[in-house]
Amino acid sequence: MLSPRQRLGLLLYAAGCLAGGALLWQSLDDWPDAMRQALFAGGIAAAATALGTLPVLLAQQSSTRTRDTLLGFGAGVMLAACAFSLTLPGLNAARAQGAGPWEAGAIVGGGILLGALLLLALDRWLPHEHFIKGFERDNPRAHALKRTWLFVFAVALHNLPEGLAIGVAFGGTDPVGAAALSTGIAIQDVPEGLVIALALQGVGYSRGLAVALGAASGLVEPVGAVLGAGVMGLSAGLLPWGLAFAAGAMLFVISHEVIPESHRAGHEGRATMGLIIGFILMMLLDTALGG
């Protein structure tokens, strides 16, 4: 159970977030609609991440098998989002701008490659720590930083592509499809927040600090969403490239981070079933909301 002091702190934190969000929203009257919608959707995703950390604050334990299943579920949602909400709309956008089938495929393929290469470069350059495997031991900068910051950088690498995907989608011409994408990302952010907080607690962080860092990790997403929507507002010709770029960045995270972490403890079967269920759920959301 929470102590009175913890309850008061949680209440003040929630009140501060609500007040800050209201003030920020009032100051955005001059922003384009797409950027405001992207910020709102990114904020929902960040709130979903924070919601996922609450079981840790309430001292509820989760088994490794459950965590691996949840990681697989998140990977499935992200994988379906890459296919149905980013890659296919990117191909359609390229064709709508006059590209032929081969040219549209080349544009989207090039964008996916650029997104993956950027994440690969950041992964090599930015010292960070995987939640289970540990820090990148071949990166000497990792030894000069506190472990907390290594986790923060890892979370930023993980969540930035999700925020960019939300922003790029709202910067396009299909608001219903963008809503499907942001809904799917928010759904997978709930177990993601739980996994992050549990991982931090498992390597020695206090319950309060693990929850605070897990909740704060989602703040990268509204920042990335605004950035993605802003870039898309510069030119309609950037839409297929932006959608493909976000898909490539998310594919890199899925393959390089999420799936390996979900298989590391020997629960590949549960993680794979979680991935399949997440993929199906996101596919249904995209079909129902995106038409």
Side-chain angles (χ1 to χ4, degrees):
M1 296 296 294
L2 296 178
S3 68
R5 185 175 180 179
Q6 288 175 320
R7 292 175 185 172
L8 178 60
L10 183 61
L11 180 62
L12 291 175
Y13 174 76
C17 290
L18 290 174
L23 290 174
L24 177 61
W25 191 255
Q26 290 177 357
S27 68
L28 301 181
D29 291 339
D30 295 333
W31 283 30
D33 288 341
M35 292 183 66
R36 284 191 292 154
Q37 292 168 354
L39 178 61
F40 180 75
I44 293 295
T49 303
L51 178 65
T53 66
L54 291 182
V56 175
L57 189 63
L58 299 175
Q60 296 181 6
Q61 298 297 320
S62 176
S63 68
T64 304
R65 288 186 301 179
T66 300
R67 279 177 276 174
D68 288 343
T69 303
L70 292 174
L71 277 172
F73 174 84
V77 171
M78 293 171 67
L79 189 60
C82 288
F84 299 110
S85 298
L86 295 172
T87 302
L88 291 179
L91 289 168
N92 292 334
R95 289 173 184 151
Q97 294 174 4
W102 282 99
E103 187 180 358
I107 289 173
V108 172
I112 291 173
L113 184 60
L114 286 175
L117 287 176
L118 175 62
L119 265 291
L120 177 63
L122 289 174
D123 182 77
R124 296 284 179 86
W125 174 79
L126 191 64
H128 62 283
E129 181 160 0
H130 298 276
F131 296 127
I132 298 174
K133 185 174 66 175
F135 64 78
E136 302 286 350
R137 299 185 184 277
D138 58 347
N139 191 329
R141 291 185 295 276
H143 297 277
L145 292 172
K146 290 184 178 181
R147 205 175 190 191
T148 301
W149 287 108
L150 296 176
F151 272 114
V152 169
F153 290 152
V155 168
L157 281 175
H158 185 100
N159 284 356
L160 181 61
E162 297 175 12
L164 287 173
I166 292 173
V168 167
F170 276 100
T173 58
D174 184 9
V176 179
L181 172 65
S182 60
T183 300
I185 289 177
I187 288 173
Q188 72 92 25
D189 276 341
V190 176
E192 180 179 289
L194 174 62
V195 169
I196 291 171
L198 287 172
L200 290 168
Q201 187 183 26
V203 295
Y205 291 101
S206 68
R207 186 186 307 164
L209 182 57
V211 169
L213 287 175
S217 70
L219 297 178
V220 178
E221 294 191 43
V223 174
V226 171
L227 178 62
V231 171
M232 289 301 97
L234 297 177
S235 171
L238 293 175
L239 180 59
W241 286 98
L243 290 168
F245 183 91
M250 287 181 66
L251 282 172
F252 179 89
V253 169
I254 295 167
S255 177
H256 190 70
E257 295 281 348
V258 183
I259 291 178
E261 297 290 3
S262 69
H263 288 198
R264 200 170 305 283
H267 303 131
E268 295 92 341
R270 287 177 175 269
T272 300
M273 289 307 301
L275 183 147
I276 292 171
I277 292 171
F279 186 94
I280 293 172
L281 176 61
M282 182 60 200
M283 180 190 67
L284 293 174
L285 280 174
D286 190 87
T287 301
L289 297 181

